[in-house]
Coordinates of all heavy atoms in Angstrom, one line a residue:
M1 N 25.6 -48.2 -23.7 CA 26.0 -49.4 -23.1 C 24.9 -50.4 -23.0 O 23.7 -50.1 -22.7 CB 26.5 -49.2 -21.7 CG 26.9 -50.4 -20.9 SD 26.8 -50.2 -19.2 CE 28.4 -50.1 -18.6
K2 N 25.1 -51.7 -23.4 CA 24.1 -52.7 -23.4 C 24.0 -53.4 -22.1 O 25.1 -53.7 -21.5 CB 24.3 -53.7 -24.5 CG 24.1 -53.1 -25.9 CD 24.2 -54.2 -26.9 CE 24.0 -53.6 -28.3 NZ 24.0 -54.7 -29.3
C3 N 22.8 -53.7 -21.6 CA 22.7 -54.6 -20.4 C 22.2 -55.9 -20.9 O 21.1 -56.1 -21.3 CB 21.7 -54.0 -19.4 SG 22.2 -52.4 -18.7
I4 N 23.1 -56.9 -20.8 CA 22.7 -58.2 -21.2 C 22.7 -59.2 -20.0 O 23.6 -59.3 -19.3 CB 23.7 -58.8 -22.3 CG1 23.7 -57.8 -23.5 CG2 23.4 -60.2 -22.7 CD1 24.6 -58.2 -24.6
V5 N 21.5 -59.8 -19.8 CA 21.3 -60.7 -18.7 C 20.9 -62.0 -19.3 O 19.9 -62.1 -20.1 CB 20.3 -60.2 -17.7 CG1 20.1 -61.2 -16.6 CG2 20.7 -58.8 -17.2
A6 N 21.5 -63.1 -18.9 CA 21.2 -64.5 -19.4 C 21.0 -64.5 -20.9 O 20.1 -65.2 -21.5 CB 19.9 -64.9 -18.7
G7 N 21.9 -63.8 -21.6 CA 21.9 -63.8 -23.1 C 20.9 -63.0 -23.7 O 20.7 -63.0 -24.9
R8 N 20.1 -62.2 -23.0 CA 19.1 -61.3 -23.5 C 19.4 -59.9 -23.2 O 19.9 -59.6 -22.1 CB 17.7 -61.7 -23.0 CG 17.3 -63.2 -23.4 CD 15.9 -63.6 -23.0 NE 14.9 -62.6 -23.5 CZ 13.7 -62.6 -23.0 NH1 13.4 -63.3 -22.0 NH2 12.8 -61.7 -23.5
E9 N 19.1 -59.0 -24.1 CA 19.3 -57.6 -23.9 C 18.2 -56.9 -23.2 O 17.0 -57.0 -23.6 CB 19.6 -56.9 -25.2 CG 20.0 -55.4 -25.1 CD 20.3 -54.8 -26.4 OE1 20.4 -55.5 -27.4 OE2 20.4 -53.6 -26.4
A10 N 18.5 -56.2 -22.1 CA 17.4 -55.4 -21.4 C 17.5 -54.0 -21.9 O 18.6 -53.4 -21.9 CB 17.7 -55.5 -19.9
V11 N 16.4 -53.5 -22.3 CA 16.3 -52.1 -22.8 C 16.0 -51.1 -21.7 O 16.5 -50.0 -21.7 CB 15.3 -52.0 -24.0 CG1 15.2 -50.6 -24.5 CG2 15.7 -53.0 -25.1
T12 N 15.1 -51.5 -20.9 CA 14.6 -50.7 -19.8 C 15.1 -51.2 -18.4 O 15.4 -52.4 -18.3 CB 13.1 -50.5 -19.8 OG1 12.5 -51.8 -19.4 CG2 12.6 -50.0 -21.1
A13 N 15.0 -50.4 -17.4 CA 15.3 -50.9 -16.1 C 14.4 -52.0 -15.6 O 14.8 -53.0 -15.0 CB 15.3 -49.7 -15.1
A14 N 13.1 -51.9 -16.0 CA 12.2 -52.9 -15.6 C 12.5 -54.3 -16.3 O 12.4 -55.3 -15.7 CB 10.8 -52.5 -16.0
E15 N 12.9 -54.2 -17.6 CA 13.3 -55.4 -18.3 C 14.6 -56.0 -17.6 O 14.7 -57.2 -17.5 CB 13.6 -55.1 -19.7 CG 12.3 -54.9 -20.5 CD 12.6 -54.6 -22.0 OE1 13.8 -54.5 -22.4 OE2 11.7 -54.4 -22.7
F16 N 15.5 -55.2 -17.2 CA 16.7 -55.6 -16.6 C 16.4 -56.4 -15.3 O 16.9 -57.5 -15.0 CB 17.7 -54.5 -16.3 CG 18.9 -54.9 -15.5 CD1 20.0 -55.5 -16.2 CD2 19.0 -54.7 -14.1 CE1 21.1 -55.9 -15.5 CE2 20.1 -55.1 -13.4 CZ 21.2 -55.7 -14.1
A17 N 15.5 -55.8 -14.5 CA 15.1 -56.4 -13.2 C 14.4 -57.7 -13.5 O 14.6 -58.7 -12.8 CB 14.2 -55.4 -12.4
E18 N 13.5 -57.7 -14.5 CA 12.8 -59.0 -14.8 C 13.7 -60.1 -15.2 O 13.6 -61.2 -14.8 CB 11.8 -58.7 -15.9 CG 10.9 -59.9 -16.2 CD 9.8 -59.6 -17.2 OE1 9.4 -58.4 -17.3 OE2 9.3 -60.6 -17.8
L19 N 14.7 -59.7 -16.1 CA 15.7 -60.7 -16.5 C 16.6 -61.2 -15.4 O 16.9 -62.4 -15.3 CB 16.5 -60.2 -17.7 CG 15.8 -60.0 -19.0 CD1 16.6 -59.3 -20.0 CD2 15.3 -61.4 -19.6
A20 N 17.0 -60.3 -14.5 CA 17.9 -60.6 -13.4 C 17.2 -61.5 -12.4 O 17.8 -62.4 -11.8 CB 18.4 -59.3 -12.8
L21 N 15.9 -61.2 -12.2 CA 15.2 -61.9 -11.1 C 14.4 -63.2 -11.6 O 14.1 -64.0 -10.9 CB 14.2 -61.0 -10.4 CG 14.8 -59.8 -9.7 CD1 13.7 -58.9 -9.3 CD2 15.6 -60.2 -8.6
G22 N 14.1 -63.2 -12.9 CA 13.4 -64.3 -13.5 C 11.9 -64.2 -13.3 O 11.2 -65.1 -13.6
T23 N 11.4 -63.1 -12.8 CA 10.0 -62.8 -12.6 C 9.7 -61.4 -13.0 O 10.5 -60.5 -12.9 CB 9.5 -63.1 -11.2 OG1 10.2 -62.1 -10.3 CG2 9.8 -64.5 -10.7
P24 N 8.5 -61.1 -13.5 CA 8.1 -59.7 -13.8 C 8.1 -58.9 -12.5 O 7.6 -59.3 -11.5 CB 6.7 -59.8 -14.4 CG 6.3 -61.2 -14.3 CD 7.4 -62.1 -13.8
V25 N 8.5 -57.7 -12.6 CA 8.5 -56.7 -11.5 C 7.1 -56.5 -11.0 O 6.9 -56.4 -9.8 CB 9.2 -55.4 -11.9 CG1 9.1 -54.4 -10.8 CG2 10.6 -55.6 -12.4
E26 N 6.1 -56.5 -11.9 CA 4.7 -56.2 -11.5 C 4.2 -57.3 -10.5 O 3.3 -57.0 -9.7 CB 3.8 -56.2 -12.7 CG 4.1 -55.0 -13.6 CD 5.2 -55.3 -14.6 OE1 5.7 -56.4 -14.7 OE2 5.6 -54.3 -15.3
L27 N 4.8 -58.5 -10.6 CA 4.4 -59.5 -9.6 C 4.6 -59.1 -8.2 O 3.9 -59.4 -7.3 CB 5.1 -60.8 -9.9 CG 4.8 -62.0 -9.0 CD1 3.4 -62.5 -9.1 CD2 5.8 -63.1 -9.2
W28 N 5.7 -58.4 -8.0 CA 6.1 -58.0 -6.6 C 5.5 -56.6 -6.2 O 5.2 -56.4 -5.1 CB 7.6 -58.0 -6.5 CG 8.2 -59.3 -7.0 CD1 8.8 -59.6 -8.1 CD2 8.1 -60.6 -6.3 NE1 9.1 -60.9 -8.2 CE2 8.7 -61.6 -7.1 CE3 7.5 -61.0 -5.1 CZ2 8.8 -62.9 -6.8 CZ3 7.6 -62.3 -4.7 CH2 8.2 -63.3 -5.6
L29 N 5.5 -55.7 -7.2 CA 5.0 -54.4 -6.9 C 3.6 -54.1 -7.2 O 3.0 -53.1 -6.7 CB 5.9 -53.4 -7.7 CG 7.4 -53.5 -7.5 CD1 8.1 -52.5 -8.4 CD2 7.7 -53.3 -6.1
G30 N 2.9 -54.9 -8.0 CA 1.6 -54.7 -8.4 C 1.5 -53.7 -9.5 O 2.5 -53.2 -10.0
V31 N 0.2 -53.5 -9.9 CA 0.0 -52.5 -11.0 C -1.1 -51.6 -10.5 O -2.0 -51.9 -9.7 CB -0.5 -53.2 -12.3 CG1 0.7 -54.0 -12.9 CG2 -1.7 -54.1 -12.1
E32 N -1.1 -50.4 -11.1 CA -2.0 -49.3 -10.7 C -3.4 -49.8 -11.1 O -3.6 -50.3 -12.2 CB -1.6 -48.0 -11.4 CG -2.4 -46.9 -10.9 CD -2.0 -45.5 -11.5 OE1 -0.8 -45.4 -11.7 OE2 -2.8 -44.7 -11.6
G33 N -4.3 -49.6 -10.2 CA -5.7 -49.9 -10.5 C -6.1 -51.4 -10.4 O -7.2 -51.7 -10.8
E34 N -5.3 -52.2 -9.8 CA -5.6 -53.6 -9.7 C -6.8 -53.8 -8.7 O -6.8 -53.0 -7.7 CB -4.4 -54.5 -9.4 CG -3.9 -54.4 -8.0 CD -2.6 -55.2 -7.8 OE1 -2.2 -56.0 -8.6 OE2 -2.1 -55.1 -6.7
T35 N -7.6 -54.7 -8.9 CA -8.7 -55.0 -8.0 C -8.2 -55.8 -6.8 O -7.1 -56.3 -6.8 CB -9.8 -55.8 -8.6 OG1 -9.3 -57.1 -9.0 CG2 -10.4 -55.1 -9.9
D36 N -9.0 -55.9 -5.7 CA -8.6 -56.7 -4.6 C -8.4 -58.1 -5.0 O -7.5 -58.8 -4.5 CB -9.7 -56.6 -3.5 CG -9.7 -55.2 -2.8 OD1 -8.7 -54.5 -2.9 OD2 -10.8 -54.9 -2.2
E37 N -9.3 -58.6 -5.9 CA -9.2 -60.0 -6.3 C -7.9 -60.2 -7.1 O -7.2 -61.2 -6.9 CB -10.4 -60.3 -7.2 CG -10.5 -61.8 -7.6 CD -11.8 -62.0 -8.3 OE1 -12.9 -62.1 -7.6 OE2 -11.8 -62.1 -9.5
E38 N -7.5 -59.3 -8.0 CA -6.3 -59.4 -8.7 C -5.1 -59.3 -7.8 O -4.1 -60.0 -8.0 CB -6.2 -58.2 -9.8 CG -7.2 -58.4 -10.9 CD -7.3 -57.1 -11.8 OE1 -7.0 -56.0 -11.2 OE2 -7.6 -57.3 -13.0
R39 N -5.1 -58.4 -6.8 CA -4.0 -58.3 -5.8 C -3.9 -59.6 -5.1 O -2.7 -60.1 -4.9 CB -4.3 -57.2 -4.9 CG -3.2 -56.9 -3.9 CD -3.5 -55.7 -3.0 NE -2.3 -55.4 -2.2 CZ -2.1 -55.9 -1.0 NH1 -3.0 -56.8 -0.4 NH2 -1.0 -55.6 -0.3
A40 N -5.0 -60.2 -4.6 CA -4.9 -61.5 -3.9 C -4.3 -62.6 -4.7 O -3.4 -63.3 -4.3 CB -6.3 -61.9 -3.4
A41 N -4.7 -62.6 -6.0 CA -4.1 -63.7 -6.9 C -2.6 -63.4 -7.1 O -1.8 -64.4 -7.2 CB -4.9 -63.6 -8.2
R42 N -2.2 -62.1 -7.3 CA -0.8 -61.8 -7.5 C 0.0 -62.2 -6.3 O 1.1 -62.8 -6.4 CB -0.7 -60.3 -7.8 CG 0.7 -59.8 -8.0 CD 0.8 -58.3 -8.3 NE 0.1 -57.5 -7.3 CZ 0.7 -57.2 -6.1 NH1 1.9 -57.6 -5.8 NH2 0.0 -56.4 -5.3
L43 N -0.5 -61.9 -5.1 CA 0.3 -62.2 -3.9 C 0.3 -63.7 -3.7 O 1.4 -64.2 -3.2 CB -0.4 -61.5 -2.7 CG -0.2 -60.0 -2.7 CD1 -1.0 -59.4 -1.5 CD2 1.2 -59.5 -2.7
D44 N -0.7 -64.4 -4.1 CA -0.7 -65.9 -3.9 C 0.3 -66.5 -4.9 O 1.1 -67.4 -4.5 CB -2.1 -66.4 -4.3 CG -2.3 -67.9 -4.0 OD1 -1.8 -68.3 -2.9 OD2 -2.8 -68.6 -4.8
A45 N 0.4 -65.9 -6.1 CA 1.4 -66.4 -7.0 C 2.8 -66.1 -6.5 O 3.7 -66.9 -6.6 CB 1.2 -65.8 -8.4
A46 N 3.0 -64.9 -5.9 CA 4.3 -64.6 -5.4 C 4.7 -65.5 -4.3 O 5.9 -65.9 -4.2 CB 4.3 -63.1 -4.9
R47 N 3.7 -65.8 -3.4 CA 4.0 -66.8 -2.3 C 4.4 -68.2 -2.9 O 5.4 -68.8 -2.3 CB 2.8 -66.9 -1.4 CG 2.8 -65.8 -0.3 CD 1.7 -66.1 0.7 NE 0.3 -65.9 0.2 CZ -0.3 -64.7 0.1 NH1 0.4 -63.7 0.5 NH2 -1.5 -64.6 -0.4
D48 N 3.8 -68.6 -3.9 CA 4.1 -69.9 -4.5 C 5.5 -69.8 -5.1 O 6.3 -70.8 -4.9 CB 3.1 -70.2 -5.7 CG 1.8 -70.6 -5.2 OD1 1.6 -70.9 -3.9 OD2 0.8 -70.7 -6.0
I49 N 5.9 -68.7 -5.7 CA 7.3 -68.6 -6.2 C 8.3 -68.7 -5.1 O 9.3 -69.3 -5.2 CB 7.4 -67.3 -7.1 CG1 6.6 -67.5 -8.4 CG2 8.9 -67.0 -7.3 CD1 6.5 -66.3 -9.2
L50 N 8.0 -67.9 -4.0 CA 9.0 -67.9 -2.9 C 9.1 -69.3 -2.2 O 10.1 -69.6 -1.7 CB 8.6 -66.9 -1.9 CG 8.8 -65.4 -2.3 CD1 8.2 -64.5 -1.3 CD2 10.2 -65.1 -2.6
A51 N 8.0 -70.1 -2.3 CA 8.1 -71.4 -1.7 C 8.8 -72.4 -2.6 O 9.2 -73.5 -2.2 CB 6.6 -71.9 -1.5
D52 N 9.0 -72.1 -3.9 CA 9.7 -73.0 -4.8 C 11.2 -73.0 -4.5 O 11.8 -72.0 -4.5 CB 9.4 -72.5 -6.3 CG 10.0 -73.4 -7.3 OD1 11.0 -74.1 -7.1 OD2 9.4 -73.4 -8.4
P53 N 11.7 -74.2 -4.4 CA 13.2 -74.3 -4.0 C 14.1 -73.6 -5.1 O 15.2 -73.1 -4.8 CB 13.5 -75.8 -4.0 CG 12.1 -76.4 -3.8 CD 11.1 -75.5 -4.4
E54 N 13.6 -73.5 -6.3 CA 14.4 -72.9 -7.4 C 14.6 -71.4 -7.1 O 15.6 -70.8 -7.5 CB 13.7 -73.0 -8.7 CG 14.4 -72.4 -9.9 CD 13.7 -72.5 -11.2 OE1 12.7 -73.3 -11.3 OE2 14.0 -71.7 -12.1
Y55 N 13.7 -70.8 -6.3 CA 13.8 -69.4 -6.0 C 14.2 -69.1 -4.6 O 14.0 -68.0 -4.1 CB 12.4 -68.7 -6.4 CG 12.2 -68.6 -7.8 CD1 11.4 -69.5 -8.5 CD2 12.7 -67.6 -8.6 CE1 11.1 -69.4 -9.8 CE2 12.5 -67.5 -9.9 CZ 11.7 -68.4 -10.6 OH 11.4 -68.3 -11.9
H56 N 14.8 -70.0 -3.9 CA 15.1 -69.8 -2.5 C 16.1 -68.7 -2.3 O 16.1 -68.1 -1.2 CB 15.5 -71.1 -1.8 CG 16.9 -71.5 -2.2 ND1 17.2 -72.2 -3.3 CD2 18.1 -71.3 -1.5 CE1 18.5 -72.4 -3.4 NE2 19.1 -71.9 -2.3
D57 N 16.8 -68.3 -3.3 CA 17.8 -67.2 -3.2 C 17.2 -65.9 -3.6 O 17.9 -64.9 -3.6 CB 19.1 -67.5 -4.0 CG 19.9 -68.6 -3.4 OD1 19.9 -68.7 -2.2 OD2 20.6 -69.3 -4.2
L58 N 16.0 -65.9 -4.0 CA 15.4 -64.6 -4.6 C 15.4 -63.4 -3.6 O 15.8 -62.4 -4.0 CB 13.9 -64.9 -5.0 CG 13.2 -63.7 -5.7 CD1 14.0 -63.3 -7.0 CD2 11.8 -64.1 -6.0
P59 N 15.1 -63.6 -2.3 CA 15.3 -62.4 -1.4 C 16.7 -61.9 -1.4 O 16.9 -60.7 -1.4 CB 14.8 -63.0 -0.1 CG 13.9 -64.1 -0.4 CD 14.5 -64.7 -1.6
D60 N 17.7 -62.7 -1.4 CA 19.1 -62.3 -1.4 C 19.4 -61.6 -2.8 O 20.1 -60.6 -2.8 CB 20.0 -63.4 -1.2 CG 19.9 -64.1 0.1 OD1 19.5 -63.3 1.1 OD2 20.2 -65.2 0.3
D61 N 18.8 -62.1 -3.8 CA 19.0 -61.5 -5.2 C 18.4 -60.1 -5.2 O 19.0 -59.2 -5.7 CB 18.4 -62.3 -6.3 CG 19.1 -63.7 -6.5 OD1 20.3 -63.8 -6.0 OD2 18.5 -64.6 -7.1
L62 N 17.2 -59.9 -4.6 CA 16.6 -58.6 -4.5 C 17.4 -57.6 -3.7 O 17.6 -56.5 -4.1 CB 15.2 -58.8 -3.9 CG 14.1 -59.4 -4.8 CD1 12.9 -59.7 -3.9 CD2 13.8 -58.6 -6.0
V63 N 18.0 -58.1 -2.6 CA 18.8 -57.2 -1.8 C 20.1 -56.8 -2.6 O 20.4 -55.6 -2.6 CB 19.2 -57.9 -0.5 CG1 20.3 -57.1 0.3 CG2 18.0 -58.0 0.4
R64 N 20.7 -57.7 -3.3 CA 21.8 -57.4 -4.1 C 21.5 -56.4 -5.2 O 22.2 -55.5 -5.5 CB 22.5 -58.7 -4.7 CG 23.4 -59.4 -3.7 CD 24.2 -60.4 -4.5 NE 23.4 -61.6 -4.9 CZ 23.1 -62.6 -4.1 NH1 23.4 -62.6 -2.8 NH2 22.3 -63.6 -4.5
L65 N 20.3 -56.6 -5.9 CA 19.9 -55.7 -6.9 C 19.6 -54.3 -6.4 O 20.0 -53.3 -7.0 CB 18.6 -56.3 -7.6 CG 18.0 -55.5 -8.7 CD1 19.0 -55.4 -9.9 CD2 16.8 -56.1 -9.2
A66 N 19.0 -54.2 -5.2 CA 18.7 -52.9 -4.6 C 20.0 -52.2 -4.2 O 20.2 -51.0 -4.5 CB 17.8 -53.1 -3.4
A67 N 21.0 -53.0 -3.7 CA 22.3 -52.4 -3.3 C 23.0 -51.9 -4.6 O 23.6 -50.8 -4.6 CB 23.1 -53.4 -2.6
R68 N 22.9 -52.6 -5.7 CA 23.5 -52.2 -6.9 C 22.9 -50.9 -7.4 O 23.6 -50.0 -7.9 CB 23.4 -53.3 -8.0 CG 24.2 -53.1 -9.2 CD 24.1 -54.3 -10.1 NE 25.1 -54.2 -11.1 CZ 25.3 -55.1 -12.0 NH1 24.6 -56.2 -11.9 NH2 26.2 -55.0 -12.9
V69 N 21.6 -50.8 -7.3 CA 20.9 -49.6 -7.8 C 21.4 -48.4 -6.9 O 21.6 -47.3 -7.5 CB 19.3 -49.7 -7.7 CG1 18.6 -48.4 -7.8 CG2 18.9 -50.7 -8.7
V70 N 21.4 -48.6 -5.6 CA 21.9 -47.5 -4.7 C 23.3 -47.1 -5.1 O 23.7 -45.9 -5.1 CB 21.8 -48.0 -3.2 CG1 22.6 -47.0 -2.3 CG2 20.4 -48.1 -2.8
E71 N 24.2 -48.1 -5.4 CA 25.6 -47.8 -5.7 C 25.7 -47.1 -7.1 O 26.4 -46.2 -7.3 CB 26.3 -49.1 -5.8 CG 27.8 -49.0 -6.0 CD 28.5 -50.3 -5.8 OE1 28.7 -50.8 -4.7 OE2 28.9 -50.8 -6.9
D72 N 24.9 -47.6 -8.1 CA 25.0 -47.1 -9.5 C 24.3 -45.8 -9.7 O 24.6 -45.0 -10.6 CB 24.5 -48.1 -10.5 CG 25.4 -49.4 -10.6 OD1 26.5 -49.3 -10.0 OD2 24.9 -50.4 -11.2
C73 N 23.3 -45.5 -8.8 CA 22.4 -44.3 -9.0 C 22.3 -43.6 -7.7 O 21.2 -43.4 -7.2 CB 21.1 -44.7 -9.5 SG 21.1 -45.7 -11.0
P74 N 23.4 -43.0 -7.1 CA 23.3 -42.4 -5.8 C 22.4 -41.1 -5.9 O 21.8 -40.8 -4.9 CB 24.7 -42.0 -5.5 CG 25.4 -42.0 -6.8 CD 24.7 -43.0 -7.7
D75 N 22.3 -40.5 -7.0 CA 21.4 -39.3 -7.1 C 19.9 -39.6 -6.9 O 19.1 -38.7 -6.6 CB 21.6 -38.6 -8.5 CG 23.0 -38.0 -8.6 OD1 23.6 -37.8 -7.5 OD2 23.4 -37.7 -9.7
L76 N 19.6 -40.9 -7.1 CA 18.2 -41.3 -6.9 C 17.7 -41.0 -5.5 O 16.6 -40.8 -5.3 CB 18.1 -42.8 -7.3 CG 16.7 -43.4 -7.4 CD1 16.0 -42.8 -8.5 CD2 16.9 -44.9 -7.6
F77 N 18.7 -41.0 -4.6 CA 18.3 -40.9 -3.2 C 18.7 -39.5 -2.6 O 18.8 -39.4 -1.4 CB 19.0 -42.0 -2.4 CG 18.5 -43.4 -2.9 CD1 19.2 -44.1 -3.8 CD2 17.3 -43.9 -2.4 CE1 18.8 -45.3 -4.2 CE2 16.8 -45.1 -2.9 CZ 17.6 -45.8 -3.8
N78 N 19.0 -38.5 -3.5 CA 19.2 -37.2 -3.0 C 17.9 -36.6 -2.6 O 17.2 -36.0 -3.4 CB 19.9 -36.3 -4.0 CG 21.4 -36.7 -4.2 OD1 21.9 -37.3 -3.3 ND2 22.0 -36.2 -5.2
V79 N 17.6 -36.7 -1.3 CA 16.3 -36.2 -0.8 C 16.6 -34.9 -0.1 O 17.5 -34.7 0.7 CB 15.7 -37.2 0.2 CG1 14.4 -36.6 0.7 CG2 15.5 -38.5 -0.5
V80 N 15.8 -33.9 -0.5 CA 16.0 -32.5 0.1 C 14.7 -32.2 0.9 O 13.6 -32.3 0.4 CB 16.2 -31.5 -1.0 CG1 16.3 -30.1 -0.4 CG2 17.4 -31.8 -1.8
P81 N 14.9 -31.9 2.2 CA 13.7 -31.6 3.0 C 13.1 -30.3 2.5 O 13.8 -29.4 2.2 CB 14.2 -31.5 4.4 CG 15.6 -31.3 4.3 CD 16.1 -31.9 3.0
L82 N 11.8 -30.3 2.5 CA 11.1 -29.0 2.1 C 10.9 -28.2 3.4 O 10.6 -28.7 4.4 CB 9.7 -29.4 1.5 CG 9.8 -30.2 0.2 CD1 8.4 -30.5 -0.3 CD2 10.5 -29.4 -0.9
V83 N 11.1 -26.9 3.2 CA 11.0 -26.0 4.3 C 9.5 -25.5 4.3 O 9.0 -25.0 3.3 CB 12.0 -24.8 4.2 CG1 11.8 -23.8 5.3 CG2 13.4 -25.3 4.1
R84 N 8.9 -25.6 5.5 CA 7.6 -25.1 5.6 C 7.6 -23.6 5.8 O 8.4 -23.1 6.6 CB 6.9 -25.7 6.8 CG 6.3 -27.0 6.5 CD 5.4 -27.4 7.7 NE 4.7 -28.6 7.3 CZ 4.0 -29.3 8.1 NH1 3.9 -29.0 9.3 NH2 3.4 -30.4 7.6
P85 N 6.8 -22.8 5.1 CA 6.8 -21.4 5.3 C 6.3 -21.1 6.7 O 5.5 -21.8 7.3 CB 5.8 -20.9 4.3 CG 5.1 -22.0 3.8 CD 5.9 -23.3 4.1
A86 N 6.8 -20.0 7.3 CA 6.4 -19.6 8.7 C 4.9 -19.3 8.6 O 4.4 -18.7 7.6 CB 7.2 -18.5 9.2
R87 N 4.2 -19.6 9.7 CA 2.8 -19.3 9.8 C 2.6 -17.8 9.8 O 3.3 -17.1 10.6 CB 2.2 -19.9 11.0 CG 1.7 -21.3 10.8 CD 1.0 -21.7 12.0 NE -0.2 -22.4 11.7 CZ -1.0 -22.9 12.6 NH1 -0.8 -22.7 13.8 NH2 -2.1 -23.6 12.2
R88 N 1.8 -17.3 9.1 CA 1.5 -15.8 9.1 C 0.4 -15.5 10.1 O -0.6 -16.2 10.1 CB 1.1 -15.3 7.8 CG 2.2 -15.3 6.8 CD 1.8 -14.6 5.6 NE 2.9 -14.4 4.7 CZ 2.9 -13.7 3.6 NH1 1.8 -13.1 3.2 NH2 3.9 -13.6 2.8
R89 N 0.7 -14.6 11.0 CA -0.3 -14.1 11.9 C -1.3 -13.2 11.2 O -0.8 -12.3 10.4 CB 0.3 -13.4 13.1 CG 1.1 -14.4 13.9 CD 1.7 -13.6 15.0 NE 1.9 -14.3 16.2 CZ 2.3 -13.9 17.4 NH1 2.6 -12.6 17.5 NH2 2.4 -14.6 18.4
P90 N -2.5 -13.3 11.5 CA -3.4 -12.3 10.9 C -3.1 -10.9 11.4 O -2.8 -10.8 12.6 CB -4.8 -12.8 11.3 CG -4.6 -13.8 12.3 CD -3.2 -14.3 12.3
A91 N -3.2 -9.9 10.6 CA -3.0 -8.6 11.0 C -4.0 -8.2 12.1 O -5.2 -8.5 12.0 CB -3.1 -7.6 9.8
R92 N -3.5 -7.5 13.1 CA -4.4 -7.1 14.2 C -5.1 -5.8 13.7 O -4.5 -4.9 13.2 CB -3.6 -6.8 15.4 CG -3.1 -8.0 16.1 CD -2.5 -7.6 17.4 NE -2.7 -8.7 18.3 CZ -2.5 -8.6 19.6 NH1 -2.0 -7.5 20.1 NH2 -2.7 -9.7 20.4
Q93 N -6.4 -5.9 14.0 CA -7.2 -4.7 13.7 C -7.0 -3.7 14.9 O -7.3 -4.1 16.0 CB -8.7 -5.1 13.6 CG -8.9 -6.1 12.4 CD -8.6 -5.5 11.1 OE1 -8.8 -4.3 10.9 NE2 -8.1 -6.3 10.1
G94 N -6.6 -2.5 14.6 CA -6.4 -1.5 15.6 C -7.8 -1.0 16.1 O -8.8 -1.1 15.4
V95 N -7.8 -0.5 17.3 CA -9.0 0.1 17.8 C -9.1 1.6 17.3 O -8.1 2.3 17.4 CB -8.9 0.1 19.4 CG1 -10.2 0.8 20.0 CG2 -8.8 -1.3 19.9
A96 N -10.2 1.9 16.7 CA -10.4 3.2 16.2 C -10.5 4.2 17.3 O -11.2 4.0 18.3 CB -11.7 3.3 15.3
A97 N -9.9 5.3 17.2 CA -9.9 6.3 18.3 C -10.8 7.4 18.0 O -11.1 7.8 16.9 CB -8.5 6.8 18.6

């Protein structure tokens, strides 16, 4: 099945999100290993975008996109609690008789 957004085909989930939102996902989520300076610049750019009247619906679009992911991929959220093993008591040393 093809995912076509705004006349362009999205091959990956990240591409779909980028096409749907009009901004790269990395702008909002960051990238691994970014410096503090890069992070500050990214967040500054994100604030500028949110201040632009063209993107005033972006938060609502993000909520709709997240809701769609939850609806389309319910297994993504199948969280199973891990059971902690019972603490083992050290064996008691008997008194030699």
Side-chain angles (χ1 to χ4, degrees):
M1 177 203 255
K2 291 184 178 182
C3 292
I4 299 178
V5 179
R8 297 185 57 197
E9 182 178 350
V11 178
T12 65
E15 287 178 359
F16 176 80
E18 183 173 340
L19 289 171
L21 299 172
T23 61
V25 176
E26 293 82 9
L27 177 68
W28 309 104
L29 302 180
V31 292
E32 189 174 329
E34 71 182 357
T35 64
D36 289 341
E37 190 174 279
E38 291 169 330
R39 182 177 189 272
R42 177 179 58 78
L43 293 176
D44 190 43
R47 276 190 287 278
D48 287 347
I49 287 173
L50 289 174
D52 187 330
E54 180 181 344
Y55 289 97
H56 75 279
D57 288 333
L58 186 60
D60 294 334
D61 293 342
L62 287 170
V63 169
R64 277 193 290 280
L65 181 61
R68 189 173 192 179
V69 168
V70 170
E71 186 176 285
D72 292 348
C73 306
D75 292 340
L76 190 64
F77 300 96
N78 283 345
V79 179
V80 178
L82 298 176
V83 178
R84 281 192 167 168
R87 273 185 138 179
R88 289 189 172 185
R89 292 177 148 185
R92 288 188 146 186
Q93 300 294 327
V95 178

